[in-house]
Each structure stands twice: as C-alpha cells, then as structure tokens.
Amino acid sequence: MTAAQPESGLLAPGWTGSPAARATDDDAYLRALLDAEAALTRAQEAVGAAPEGAGAAVTAAACGDFDVRSLAERARGGGNPVIPLIADLTEAAGVEYGPYVHRGATSQDIMDTATMLVAARTLDPVLADLDRVQRALARLAAEHRDTAMPGRTLTQHAVPTTFGLKAAGWRSLVLDARDRITAVRDSLPAQLGGAAGTAAAFTAYGVEDTTALTTAYARELGLVAPLLPWHTLRTPVADLAACLAFTAGALGKLATDVLTLARTEISEIAEVSAGGGGGSSAMPHKANPVRSTLIAAAARRAPQLAATLYGSLVAEDERPAGAWHAEWEPLRDLLRLVGGAARDAAELTAGLRVDPDRMRSGLGLTHGLIVSERLSAELSGLLGRPRARRLLTELSRRAYAENRPLAELLAQEADLKDVDLDELTDPARYTGSAGALTDRALERR
C-alpha cells in the first residue's frame, strides 16, 4: 500500500499524534476498505459461494501496494473510493480469483463496513484513555474527600463543597461516557445488503442463505451481524454521534472546571504537563492550561459534527444520494476530536495539582458569609426566623463595609454568647453529605 501524503495536523493540536489520528488517517481507512473486501470473499468461501483458496488469495492481494492518492482522485468519478479500489484489487487478485472480489456487494456495503471498522479501531484506545482518566479521578476524589473548597453557583460563591466530590462528579461523567462508548462499540455492525438492500445478487451468485453469509462476514471482521441492511437505516451512525458527542461534553465539563479553578486569581488547582508546554510566545511567565484548552475546543466542535450525522438519518429510498456521503468527514472528525480529547484528559488528570490551602483561603473571601445558609437555619431556632434574618442581613452588610469576619460581629451579640460560633462559622464543617456522596460515587467500578 503506497502511503498517502501524511496529514501534518498543523491546525489540529488536539488530536495530532493521538491513537485516533493513526486509526482514522487515509491509510487506516484504506486498510479498513481492503479488510472489508477481503473478508467478504472469505465469507463467501465459508458458505460455499466461492472456491477454496479464493479468500486467501484476495486477502493476500489486499496486503499489496495500493496508491491512496490515485484512489482519492479517481473516487470523483463514482462519488466514493470503493469503485476504483475494486478495480485495483480485482487486478491484484489475478485472473483466477479476481472475479470473487466484491461479488454481489455494493459500494455502500464496503464503505459502511469499513467505517465501522475504523470506528472500532478508534474507540478501543479511547476506552483505554477514559479508564486512565477515571482511575486518576478516583485517586483525587479519595485523597481530597474532605478537602473543603468554595462551591460556586452562577459564577459566585454559594456554600462550601469538597474537591473530592467535584472530582467524583467528573469521574461519574467519564464513566457514563465509557458505558455509552462500550455499548456502541459492542454493537457496531457490518453492512451487507447489495444494490438495494435485498441481497439479490448474492443469491444470483449461488448463496443459498444470505443471513448465514452476513453472519460469516461480520464474524470475519469482529463486527455484529445486523438484523437488516442499514443503507438508509442509520442507527449505527446516529449511535456513534451520540456517544462521541456525549464523551466530548463530559470531558469538556472537566476541562472547563479546570480552566476556571486554574485562573491566576483562584489558583485552587493547576495543570501540570509531564511533557512541559503551556508557555506563551510573548509572556515568559505564563503556564497556560493547554490540555484543558484543547479539550474545551473539542467539546465546542463536537455537537455540530454530531448534528450533521443526525441529519443523515433522513435518507431517502433504499440507498441515499448525499445523506450517506455527508457522514464520512464529520464522523472522522468526531472520532479524532474525541480520541484526542481522551488522550489529553488522561494527561491532564495524571498531572493535576490540587492546592488545599488555596481552597481554604478562598472559603474566607466573603468574610464568612459562605455559611450564611447554615447560620440562618441555626439562628432561626434560637432567635426566631424574622429576627435571625434581620440580624444576618445587617451583619452581612457590616462584614463587607467594615472588612471584618462575620463570626467576629456575631460574637458581639449578647443572645449568642452561649453559641459555639467557631464551629458554626467554620466552612469546612458545613459540607453536608459531600463525604458520603463521594464514597458512594467511588463504589462505582
């Protein structure tokens, strides 16, 4: 196989150099097309529709030299690369076995099957990277189970939470993504329906049981035998769109939180890259959160790519014009983006640095008002709800105006002289069920 001109990835640092990049490049796609063609001949031999030796001969021919660029240029003639590939593979298989190349199939059978192979070969390393991410997050969640930090709602301090619970939440999303990808990966089907989904040509060539042929074909490729040909029943592609877009969003949530918490004025966590990087071309002091940035970029692109794939569900007749063709590039882009994001997330979480002291310091930025919810509940029982509310409203105003801790102002109230204000106003003692929730989340394997 003559290698295609490699894609430099100049504008794609998010996926360049990742396993997904290698699994989706032109050479990988050509390999999948050739694997699909060779498997079809082997399957026909297995059901008695091709002579002994045909499968091995075509498989050997498929390991030969094929010019990717030439195939790409000639693909314009028929609208897909399978048509010129059939001609080249038939010639390579020779006079005796060439007639058994692609016999009974249509171009979409091979293209769809190859697409499923490319997806499978991309998703396997994605799953491995997601496992690395969840294990790193599980360690962080356990280590920081009781590390108090400000909880933020609508960008503002709300009530205290723990970093352990936050990390456990990230992990929960990653596990959700893993489960969705696993389900889709395990259901990726081969495609074999012939010209209009009736498998008529296979019967004309002597296949007595087309279901057995489809089963043998899928088995050769490690894919699932579909109930029906799915030329215009695009559930497999829609399922890929869904799990990939979800995974991009799940990793994007992690990245967005890291970007927020790593801001200079917050600095509760920091992205530390084992390979260095993160610098600026103009500002020597910068240590930019590059992995998080690239993941966030992928998460922003993924929904639009998935939307194109969902749009292709509207595929007319028994074979569509345009809907099928529109899937190829967006699906490859989506596989690459998610593959790169999973790789980056594994690197990000492995090197994430947590600063508990900074988190503790942040809890005091509102002069103790971060526990006002607790104070309102506790003091209402002691002073009555209306009076407690008036008191807290007034003391909150004074805490800001006088730059004094709320606990200090509360201590001046005679009615509160017997109240343990140190305990009551300590943010670290008002994290609710965060610890128990973290423990429960970590039980998920």
Side-chain angles (χ1 to χ4, degrees), residues 319-376:
R319 295 272 310 288
W324 160 52
H325 307 72
E327 295 168 350
W328 306 339
E329 291 174 280
L331 180 54
R332 177 155 78 167
D333 286 347
L334 196 49
L335 286 166
R336 287 174 167 178
L337 285 173
V338 172
R343 185 255 329 251
D344 286 339
E347 294 178 1
L348 165 64
T349 52
L352 198 63
R353 187 174 66 210
V354 181
D355 189 340
D357 292 337
R358 186 75 176 183
M359 291 176 176
R360 178 72 192 195
S361 175
L363 289 167
L365 289 176
T366 56
H367 305 288
L369 299 182
I370 198 167
V371 294
S372 63
E373 180 187 68
R374 180 185 192 185
L375 290 168
S376 179

Side-chain angles (χ1 to χ4, degrees), residues 50-405:
E52 185 177 351
V58 173
T59 299
C63 294
D65 192 26
F66 295 85
D67 190 329
V68 179
R69 181 168 293 280
S70 172
L71 289 168
E73 291 171 351
R74 287 182 287 151
R76 285 187 54 78
N80 72 74
V82 176
I83 295 173
L85 180 62
I86 297 167
D88 291 356
L89 182 58
T90 299
E91 181 180 358
V95 176
E96 182 177 3
Y97 296 113
Y100 299 98
V101 170
H102 196 76
R103 197 165 71 153
T106 190
S107 297
Q108 190 174 352
D109 288 334
I110 302 303
M111 195 69 187
D112 281 349
T113 299
T115 297
M116 295 299 103
L117 285 175
V118 168
R121 292 165 182 176
T122 306
L123 293 180
D124 287 341
V126 168
L127 286 169
D129 280 335
L130 290 179
D131 187 57
R132 291 167 59 199
V133 174
Q134 71 86 11
R135 283 188 278 114
L137 291 175
R139 288 193 298 271
L140 286 170
E143 181 181 350
H144 294 283
R145 176 188 186 275
D146 300 313
T147 299
M149 65 178 293
R152 295 171 173 89
T153 63
L154 302 178
T155 76
Q156 306 297 300
H157 282 202
V159 296
T161 184
T162 67
F163 184 72
L165 183 57
K166 182 176 285 290
W170 295 338
R171 178 177 180 266
S172 180
L173 278 177
V174 171
L175 292 178
D176 289 344
R178 177 206 63 185
D179 291 349
R180 283 159 173 76
I181 289 181
T182 299
V184 171
R185 169 64 182 87
D186 291 345
S187 66
L188 294 175
Q191 175 76 282
L192 200 61
T198 64
F202 295 116
T203 62
Y205 282 117
V207 175
E208 295 181 1
D209 184 348
T210 57
T211 299
L213 174 62
T214 300
T215 300
Y217 183 48
R219 184 170 55 246
E220 289 286 342
L221 295 164
L223 297 174
V224 172
L227 179 65
L228 295 172
W230 45 279
H231 294 140
T232 53
L233 310 174
R234 306 307 282 175
T235 302
V237 175
D239 284 347
L240 276 167
C243 76
L244 291 169
F246 180 89
T247 301
L251 297 176
K253 159 61 176 171
L254 159 63
T256 297
D257 279 351
V258 171
L259 290 170
T260 297
L261 299 178
R263 288 176 179 272
T264 304
E265 59 271 27
I266 299 176
S267 297
E268 292 177 355
I269 61 178
E271 179 182 312
V272 181
S273 173
S280 164
S281 64
M283 295 167 284
H285 70 282
K286 293 293 289 297
N288 296 322
V290 176
R291 300 281 81 75
S292 302
T293 297
L294 295 177
I295 296 168
R300 283 168 169 78
R301 288 188 59 199
Q304 287 71 40
L305 294 168
T308 299
L309 297 176
Y310 274 113
S312 292
L313 281 166
V314 187
E316 74 282 0
D317 302 325
E318 280 62 57
R319 295 272 310 288
W324 160 52
H325 307 72
E327 295 168 350
W328 306 339
E329 291 174 280
L331 180 54
R332 177 155 78 167
D333 286 347
L334 196 49
L335 286 166
R336 287 174 167 178
L337 285 173
V338 172
R343 185 255 329 251
D344 286 339
E347 294 178 1
L348 165 64
T349 52
L352 198 63
R353 187 174 66 210
V354 181
D355 189 340
D357 292 337
R358 186 75 176 183
M359 291 176 176
R360 178 72 192 195
S361 175
L363 289 167
L365 289 176
T366 56
H367 305 288
L369 299 182
I370 198 167
V371 294
S372 63
E373 180 187 68
R374 180 185 192 185
L375 290 168
S376 179
E378 296 284 349
L379 297 186
S380 290
L382 182 64
L383 304 177
R385 188 173 180 180
R387 184 182 172 197
R389 184 174 182 82
R390 287 195 302 272
L391 176 64
L392 286 172
T393 300
E394 171 59 21
L395 295 186
S396 296
R397 182 192 63 77
R398 287 182 56 194
Y400 271 114
E402 301 172 17
N403 195 25
R404 296 169 64 188

